[in-house]
Every structure is written in C-alpha cells, then in structure tokens.
C-alpha cells in the first residue's frame, strides 16, 4: 500500500532518461520532411465533415403518462420545448447516481489508506454519499412528476457519462490512493455544482419554481461537497509537500465550511 | 421469400469496392436504435471475424488455395471493418459487453429452437444458460461500478437474472468437447448453426480478452478473465460440433453459405434503413463470394456444389426476445453438466470428477462472478433505486440530505 503520490523513482517517460538516444532520435526526426503537406487542421476538417452528416447521439423518450402527455402538449402550446428540461433532469439523475458509486469507492479507499491532517473523515464521505443518493431519488421523483421515465438514459446523461468516464476508472483503480482519488471527486463536484446551477436557472426560466426551490437545497449541499473535497485534496498535497508523514489512522478532519 | 443461393449470383468480386470513408460510417445510436440492431452488428462482426480466422487457418495449411483465399479474405476484412465500426464511441466496452451477451442469449435461443438435431439443440441450450448468467454478472458490474442501468442497453427484451452460475461453468477441457454432426447426414441448417454459433462465441472470447485489461477495478479484471475462460470453453464446445471430416474446400464453401445466411437474416430483421442497406449490400457481396468459391469447389473436388449447399436458405434467424423459451430451459436444465461428450445432471457427477477438481482449483482463491453479483437483484433504475428510500430522504419536505 502506498499513501504518498509524488516520490522520486525510476520514471522513464521523459527524454532525459536516455540523453544519447533521445538526442539521436530528435536529430533524425528533424532531418526528415513530413510525407504530406498540411497540418493538424486536416484532422479537424474530416471531423467537421462527419459532424455535418451526423444526426446526433439520440433523443429524449416520449412522456410515459397521460399527465406527461398533457403537460408536454401545454408546454408546446406555450411555445417551449419540454424535452430540454427532461433531458437535463436525466443528466443530473445519472450524474448523482454514478456519484453515489464514486463515494462508495472513496469510502472503501478511506478504510485502506486512512486520512491526513485536514483530510477526509468517514463521516464527511458518508454525508456526501447520502446526499448523492437522496439527490438521485429527488430527481427520480421530479421526472415522474413531469410524466417522464426516470430510467431512460437521455442524450445529456449519455454526454455526461462520456465526459466523466475517467472518474469511476480512477476510483476503482486500487493503485490510486485516496488522495489521488480525490482528484476524480474534485472534477465530479465541480461539474456537479455547475450542473445544478444551470438546472435551477432552467427550472426558473420554465416556471418550475417548486422544483427550482428543491434543487436550490441540493445545490447548497453540493457547494459544501466542493469545499470539503477541495480542502481535503489541498491539505493532502500540502502535507506531502511539507514532507510530513501520512497518518494512517482514520482520523482526518473536516475543513470548516 | 426464400433465397435461392444457387441462382442468385450477387455482386462479382471485382465490383466489391470500398473507401475509408465508406468503411467508417455514421454509427447506430446507442439510445435510439433497437437493441437488436446492436445485436446484429455485434453478431455479424463475429461472423466476419470467423470468416477471416478460418481462412487464415486454411491458408496456413494449403498452398494451392492461398491466392483465392487472400482475395476473399481481403474483401471480408473490409466488410468486418464497416460492420464493427458501426458501434458508437459513446458505447463503452462494458456496454458493448452487455450487447455481446444479449447476442449469445437471443441468437443461441433462436438456433436452439430451430436446430433439427436433438443433440446439437441440447448443446445450444446448455451453452445458452451459461451466457444467460454472464449477462446477469456483467449487469451487476455495470450497476455497481458505474451506477448505470444495464437495461438501457438490453431494452427490456432479455431477463437479467441468474442462469447456471458462472462459478460452476468451469470444466475440464475434455468435458467441453462434443460429438460432431455427420457431414453426410446432417441437415444443412445444422451446419449453418454450428458454424454461426462457433463464430459468435469465438469473437466474444477475443473481445473479452481485448477489453478486460482496460478496467481498473480488480473484480472487473477478474470477471473478464473468468468469463473469457468460459467463452474459450464455449468456442471449444461449439467448434467440436463441426465435422472434422469435411474437406477444407467444403468447409470454405459452407462458411460462405453461412455468411450469406446470416446477412440474409439481418436483412429480414433490420428496421433502420441505413443499416439494412448495409446488410443487403453484404448479402449481395457474399453471394458473389459464394459463387466464386463454388466454382473452385467444383473444379477441384469434381462434384456438384448442390450436394453440399442448400438450394434455398432456411428461415432467417429470429432476432427477437426468447424469454419464455429461456425461462423454460432454465427451469428444466439449469443443473445440467457434461461428462465427456454426454450431458448429465450435475448431482450425478462423482465429487472427485475431473471437472469438479478443475473448477475447485480455479475458485479456490475466490470467485469473481459470485463477488460481483453478491445479493444482486436488478430493478429498473439500478439497485440504488431500491436503496434510496432507506436513507430517509424526503422529496415533499424541505430536507434533501
């Protein structure tokens, strides 16, 4: 088990590992002209051709209840596009649900690696885990109340999953210690905070004020999560940089919020 | 309408051309296309992978056929590329894995139902229950690793419940070998089935061997190792159904017919016109290849290809759900085991049987397939949807955490 992350060792990835060989291959590379003219923009041009031909990732499913059908019809008559809200609700639901699994993984790492001065506590991680889980439920209920199917993977949920593919990968990697895993949680919380903020704005724009009020409460807890995770991570980096030994007992403290 | 493969000449080889842009097309939609479109893509990639694999093996064993084999192989490599590249990039390896298992369940079920030879039909049912369990194990992994719902991929066509437990599927290599069909007596459909399912399982094995190391979670890595091992067993089992007495050219001719039959089945199913057009094109290409090989067969073997080939193709494969059949099979045959080439009830195997020894050794440090799915019960929205109410959260009240 390794609690530190930045020890000096035999890293071979840079050119300085092999000065003679690297000088030789650099010289050789400079001697040769590219086989074809142009630059990296050609790659982007091909991507643009495919983008023009694309029909997107997929769609939002139709409403599942009569109530949902009626709401959709009313919204359409009012000139709005109700599927946008459903799509974004589906995104937050999927993100919170996956986030729950991230914190499960972080708790498992906490048990192995312990914490550090200013690092996470079990209570802190559990609190966030419980928040993610209850946000998932709240969003399930919100989607049901709009007559939508909360089990569907919406296009925005799919996008969020693609964007965050690395998060569960790192959390599940037993070689990444708790401090390194906090990097994944930081990315998740940053995205989560922005996601909730935008969802609240959208809810207010569409006059879903009751939902917006509930989402505001969720955002408040997400703000707290971000402060904690950022604080834990910063403390961990600082502790190691100062050369202080990592504390292996499970006794980190929560930063003040 | 039945397809007369001896009359339909398809597209001649010199007209079967591609460009890189043509090979790399717009993929199907993970969210909007029918799960059976994904099933067909994954399955046909497997069929074409085996077309190449088989023809490479032929080329390593036969000097005279190397040139025609090289010509056909190259075209089929392009076909496989175009098909495999229809898988979209937002579909993760684990999601594609769920698709692989849906192929193994639904295509094998269709084959088991129509197989005229009762011994081979039993073999398909035997393997089917094992792949059925794999879907359940991978579903638990998907749910627990990423917090996602496996039914988003399988689209309510296929049950997500335990089958014959993966942990008891590990057998001694000699208990995976079966009796082959008799090339002279077997119905053509029997030959097409055996080749098709062998191809699908071999590709499943190769896919798991490729993507397994992409996972970081140790149980995921172990699970891919474990299920890849079963797919190797299944490949051994299904390929042993093929009559080794068939000449190389006879096998080649039948493989082309198998490819024709499978594209024909996809054409019959597919609703997405963009994908259907691909199946139709490759059906025509494969007919052209079949007739090319038929000429070689008749010239070299000095016999009529009609002795080997069916004149009309059988009913297409049923790309649809088979829940009733799978449930009935599970109910009646979950506890089947094999003793050499014969099927027996698991309880009838002596405790010191070689397959028990083999299995116990592998599982002696723990079983990944049991670990990953401990207590797992799929519900819509993932198992977290069932856990949430116990957390005391409230929706109507103010408190949300």
């Amino acid at each position: 088990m390794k609690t530190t992350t930045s020890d000096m060792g035999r890293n071979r990835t840079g050119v300085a590992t092999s000065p003679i060989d690297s000088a030789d291959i650099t010289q050789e590379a400079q001697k040769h002209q590219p086989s074809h003219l142009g630059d990296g923009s050609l790659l982007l041009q091909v991507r643009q051709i495919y983008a023009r031909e694309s029909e997107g990732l997929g769609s939002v499913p139709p409403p599942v209840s009569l109530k949902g059908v009626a709401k959709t019809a009313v919204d359409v008559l009012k000139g709005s596009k109700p599927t946008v809200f459903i799509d974004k609700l589906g995104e937050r639901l999927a993100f919170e649900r996956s986030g729950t699994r991230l914190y499960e993984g972080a708790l498992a790492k906490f048990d192995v690696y312990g914490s550090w001065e200013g690092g996470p506590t079990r209570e802190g991680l559990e609190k966030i885990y419980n928040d993610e889980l209850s946000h998932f439920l709240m969003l399930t209920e919100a989607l049901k109340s709009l007559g939508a199917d909360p089990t569907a993977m919406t296009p925005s949920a799919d996008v969020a999953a693609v964007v965050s593919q690395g998060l569960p990968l790192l959390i599940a990697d037993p070689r990444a210690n708790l401090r390194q895993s906090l990097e994944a949680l930081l990315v998740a919380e940053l995205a989560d905070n922005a996601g909730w903020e935008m969802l609240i704005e959208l809810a207010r724009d569409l006059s879903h004020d009751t939902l917006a009020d509930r989402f505001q409460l969720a955002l408040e807890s997400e703000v707290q999560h971000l402060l904690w995770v950022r604080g834990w991570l910063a403390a961990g980096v600082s502790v190691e940089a100062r050369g202080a030994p990592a504390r292996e007992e499970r006794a980190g403290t929560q930063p003040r919020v | 309408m039945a397809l007369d493969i001896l009359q339909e000449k398809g597209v001649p080889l010199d007209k079967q051309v591609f460009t890189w842009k043509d090979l790399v097309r717009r993929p199907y939609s993970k969210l909007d296309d029918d799960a059976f479109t994904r099933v067909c893509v994954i399955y046909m990639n497997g069929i074409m992978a085996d077309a190449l694999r088989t023809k490479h093996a032929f080329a390593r064993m036969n000097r005279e056929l190397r040139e025609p084999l090289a010509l056909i192989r190259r075209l089929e490599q392009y076909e496989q590329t175009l098909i495999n590249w229809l898988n979209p990039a937002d579909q993760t390896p684990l999601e594609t894995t769920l698709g692989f298992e849906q192929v193994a369940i639904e295509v094998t079920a269709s084959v088991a139902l129509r197989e005229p030879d009762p011994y081979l039909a039993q073999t398909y049912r035997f393997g089917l229950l094992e792949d059925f369990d794999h879907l359940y194990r991978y579903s638990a992994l998907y749910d627990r690793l990423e917090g996602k719902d496996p039914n988003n991929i399988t689209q309510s066509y296929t049950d997500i419940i335990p089958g014959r437990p993966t942990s008891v599927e590990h057998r001694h290599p000699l208990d995976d070998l079966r009796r082959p069909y008799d090339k002279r007596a077997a119905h053509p459909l029997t030959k097409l089935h055996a080749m098709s399912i062998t191809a699908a399982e071999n590709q499943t094995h190769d896919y798991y061997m490729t993507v397994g190391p992409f996972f970081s979670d140790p149980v995921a890595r172990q699970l891919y190792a474990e299920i890849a091992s079963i797919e190797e067993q299944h490949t051994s089992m299904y390929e042993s159904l093929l009559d080794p007495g068939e000449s190389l050219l006879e096998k080649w001719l039948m493989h082309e017919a198998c490819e024709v039959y499978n594209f024909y089945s996809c054409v019959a199913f597919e609703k997405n016109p963009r994908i259907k057009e691909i199946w139709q094109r490759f059906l025509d290409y494969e007919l052209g290849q079949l007739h090319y090989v038929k000429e070689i067969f008749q010239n070299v073997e000095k016999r009529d290809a009609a002795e080997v080939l069916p004149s009309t193709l059988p009913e297409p494969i049923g790309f649809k759900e088979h829940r009733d059949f799978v449930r009935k099979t599970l109910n009646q045959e979950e506890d089947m085991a094999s003793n050499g080439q014969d099927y027996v009830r698991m309880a009838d195997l002596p405790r010191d049987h070689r397959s028990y020894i083999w299995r116990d050794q592998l599982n002696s440090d723990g079983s990944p397939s049991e670990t990953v799915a401990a207590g797992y019960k799929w519900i819509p929205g993932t198992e977290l949807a069932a856990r949430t109410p116990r957390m005391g959260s409230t929706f109507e009240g103010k408190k949300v955490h």
Side-chain angles (χ1 to χ4, degrees):
Chain A
M1 184 177 82
K2 192 160 174 58
T3 55
T4 53
T5 61
S6 312
D7 300 320
M8 194 180 295
R10 285 178 300 194
N11 183 311
R12 296 171 187 275
T13 57
V15 290
T17 307
S18 328
I20 296 170
D21 286 341
S22 59
D24 185 45
I25 61 165
T26 305
Q27 203 176 20
E28 193 67 11
Q30 291 306 312
K31 275 197 289 193
H32 291 266
Q33 293 304 312
S35 63
H36 296 82
L37 295 174
D39 57 24
S41 65
L42 282 179
L43 187 148
L44 301 174
Q45 285 174 26
V46 175
R47 202 182 297 165
Q48 288 171 333
I49 292 169
Y50 276 82
R52 287 189 190 101
E53 293 170 357
S54 167
E55 289 187 355
L57 292 168
S59 64
V60 177
V64 290
S65 67
L66 283 175
K67 193 171 141 195
V69 173
K71 273 179 186 293
T72 303
V74 170
D75 285 344
V76 169
L77 281 174
K78 282 197 284 186
S80 64
K81 188 177 174 186
T83 44
V84 175
F85 194 43
I86 303 297
D87 185 26
K88 298 304 279 182
L89 285 170
E91 172 199 307
R92 286 268 53 71
L93 178 145
F95 203 89
E96 296 293 319
R97 192 171 60 191
S98 294
T100 309
R101 294 300 191 186
L102 293 183
Y103 279 93
E104 261 183 3
L107 277 159
K109 288 217 165 135
F110 178 86
D111 289 342
V112 173
Y113 289 102
S115 191
W116 51 86
E117 187 187 339
T121 60
R122 168 160 272 283
E123 294 71 26
L125 290 169
E126 279 176 350
K127 164 80 168 62
I128 305 180
Y129 165 87
N130 283 329
D131 286 349
E132 304 290 324
L133 198 52
S134 42
H135 295 169
F136 160 53
L137 173 73
M138 178 177 66
L139 289 158
T140 302
E141 294 302 321
L143 277 160
K144 282 184 187 166
S145 74
L146 296 169
D149 179 0
T151 68
M153 183 187 286
T154 67
S156 288
D158 190 37
V159 165
V162 171
V163 168
S164 57
Q165 266 178 23
L167 307 184
L169 194 68
L170 187 77
I171 294 284
D173 193 333
R175 301 169 307 161
N177 64 26
L178 181 60
R179 204 198 88 193
Q180 287 168 317
S181 300
L182 282 170
E183 302 279 2
L185 299 181
L186 178 64
V187 170
E189 294 298 353
L190 284 165
D192 217 8
N193 271 258
W196 279 107
E197 284 166 2
M198 290 189 287
L199 188 64
I200 291 165
E201 287 166 21
L202 183 63
R204 297 231 182 266
D205 281 353
L206 298 172
S207 306
H208 290 295
D209 288 326
T210 314
L211 283 175
D213 290 345
R214 286 168 188 153
F215 296 166
Q216 187 62 41
L217 292 171
L219 175 61
E220 284 164 20
S221 61
E222 296 293 351
V223 168
Q224 186 186 46
H225 300 170
L226 178 56
L227 281 169
W228 282 359
V229 169
R230 195 186 170 121
W232 293 333
L233 179 57
V237 174
S238 170
V239 163
E240 187 172 339
R242 290 200 313 266
R247 285 161 48 191
E248 296 198 3
E249 70 272 28
R250 299 162 194 173
T253 55
Q254 273 168 232
R256 282 200 304 273
V257 289
Chain B
M1 193 178 71
L3 184 71
D4 185 340
I5 60 173
L6 295 172
Q7 292 303 316
E8 296 289 338
K9 300 282 194 267
V11 175
L13 300 198
D14 60 355
K15 298 279 188 270
Q16 300 185 16
V17 292
F18 302 84
T19 69
W20 305 120
K21 178 80 190 332
D22 175 32
L23 291 180
V24 181
R25 291 169 167 230
R26 179 150 49 95
Y28 62 81
S29 166
K30 180 177 85 172
L31 308 182
D32 287 10
D33 271 301
D34 192 283
F36 279 100
T37 293
R38 174 175 28 248
V39 161
C40 284
V41 166
I42 291 173
Y43 176 60
M44 292 313 297
N45 177 56
I47 295 293
M48 297 317 292
D50 199 60
L52 262 77
R53 184 185 297 118
T54 304
K55 278 157 223 176
H56 275 297
F58 288 168
R60 290 168 203 183
M61 297 170 201
N62 185 293
R63 185 183 300 272
E64 290 71 29
L65 291 175
R66 284 186 171 187
E67 287 190 1
L69 281 165
L71 289 171
I72 297 286
R73 244 190 356 248
R74 182 64 58 86
L75 296 171
E76 292 186 328
Q77 200 274 345
Y78 295 142
E79 289 176 65
Q80 189 196 348
T81 304
L82 196 156
I83 295 165
N84 198 22
W85 267 233
L86 291 171
N87 285 300
D90 59 334
Q91 186 171 284
T92 64
L94 185 47
E95 289 170 336
T96 305
T97 295
L98 297 170
F100 263 93
E101 294 301 344
Q102 195 166 30
V103 168
I105 295 162
E106 304 298 357
V107 176
T108 312
S110 172
V111 162
L113 276 164
R114 291 170 186 182
E115 172 55 47
D117 183 315
Y119 177 71
L120 272 80
Q122 175 151 35
T123 300
Y124 298 128
R125 295 197 305 275
F126 183 78
L128 162 66
L129 292 185
E130 304 195 330
D131 288 316
F132 185 63
D133 192 72
H134 301 167
L135 176 64
Y136 167 72
R137 309 287 156 181
Y138 281 129
S139 293
L141 181 69
Y142 185 58
D143 188 331
R144 291 175 167 181
L145 207 59
E146 300 181 10
K148 296 183 198 148
D149 185 345
N151 193 52
N152 288 159
I153 301 299
T154 52
Q155 296 177 2
S156 306
Y157 286 118
T158 310
D159 282 320
I160 303 173
I161 54 172
R164 178 177 305 123
T166 299
S167 59
V168 307
E169 295 170 10
H170 309 293
R171 289 176 287 274
H172 188 280
L174 300 183
D175 290 323
D176 284 319
L177 299 181
R178 302 288 175 260
R179 281 187 291 281
Y181 60 73
D182 179 343
K183 64 173 180 173
R184 285 153 307 190
H187 191 286
L189 185 58
T190 292
K191 300 178 184 180
L192 297 176
H193 280 164
M195 272 184 291
S196 300
I197 300 298
T198 301
E201 293 291 310
N202 207 334
Q203 182 56 25
T204 309
H205 168 264
D206 291 357
Y207 185 73
Y208 296 167
M209 293 296 282
T210 303
V211 303
F214 292 155
F215 290 82
S216 58
D217 179 73
V219 173
R221 292 169 80 90
Q222 286 187 7
L223 186 68
Y224 272 88
E226 184 183 14
I227 296 184
S229 163
I230 304 291
E231 303 305 348
E232 161 59 19
Q233 290 183 226
H234 285 180
T235 305
S236 300
M237 176 171 81
Y238 291 128
E239 77 183 3
S240 69
L241 296 171
L242 304 166
D243 187 342
E246 288 166 332
S247 72
L248 191 148
L249 258 171
E250 186 173 345
K251 281 189 182 297
W252 186 6
L253 188 63
M254 281 308 290
H255 216 296
E256 296 302 333
C258 163
E259 293 149 25
V260 168
Y261 171 61
N262 281 299
F263 281 119
Y264 166 74
S265 298
C266 293
V267 170
F269 155 75
E270 188 60 60
K271 308 289 186 298
N272 180 334
R274 203 166 52 79
I275 308 289
K276 187 176 184 129
E277 177 256 317
I278 295 167
W279 302 141
Q280 182 63 55
R281 173 181 168 190
F282 289 167
L283 169 59
D284 294 338
Y285 281 17
E286 287 298 337
L287 281 166
Q289 294 169 21
L290 175 74
H291 282 274
Y292 176 80
V293 179
K294 178 176 149 247
E295 291 304 310
I296 302 172
F297 174 88
Q298 293 187 151
N299 289 337
V300 173
E301 299 224 343
K302 309 292 183 208
R303 54 180 176 141
D304 189 350
E307 288 174 29
V308 179
L309 293 174
S311 61
T312 55
L313 285 180
E315 282 286 292
I317 285 172
F319 292 111
K320 61 184 186 63
E321 61 86 12
H322 296 85
R323 290 196 299 280
D324 284 347
F325 173 69
V326 176
R327 287 174 195 171
K328 184 171 152 240
T329 306
L330 183 63
N331 189 39
Q332 295 175 349
E333 301 184 8
E334 184 196 330
D335 67 334
M336 296 302 288
S338 58
N339 185 13
Q341 299 175 339
D342 298 313
Y343 293 104
V344 295
R345 295 286 167 188
M346 216 172 274
D348 294 336
L349 281 184
R351 199 62 194 86
D352 60 353
H353 191 270
R354 60 191 177 190
S355 274
Y356 273 123
I357 294 168
W358 198 276
R359 175 213 300 183
D360 291 347
Q361 165 60 37
L362 280 165
N363 290 334
S364 59
D365 265 348
S367 161
S369 55
E370 289 178 7
T371 301
V372 75
Y376 184 70
K377 188 177 261 196
W378 174 79
I379 64 160
T382 81
E383 67 175 354
L384 291 178
R387 195 182 299 178
T388 310
R390 293 202 297 273
M391 301 309 300
S393 302
T394 55
F395 172 61
E396 293 303 330
K398 293 242 176 200
K399 192 173 181 302
V400 293
H401 56 75

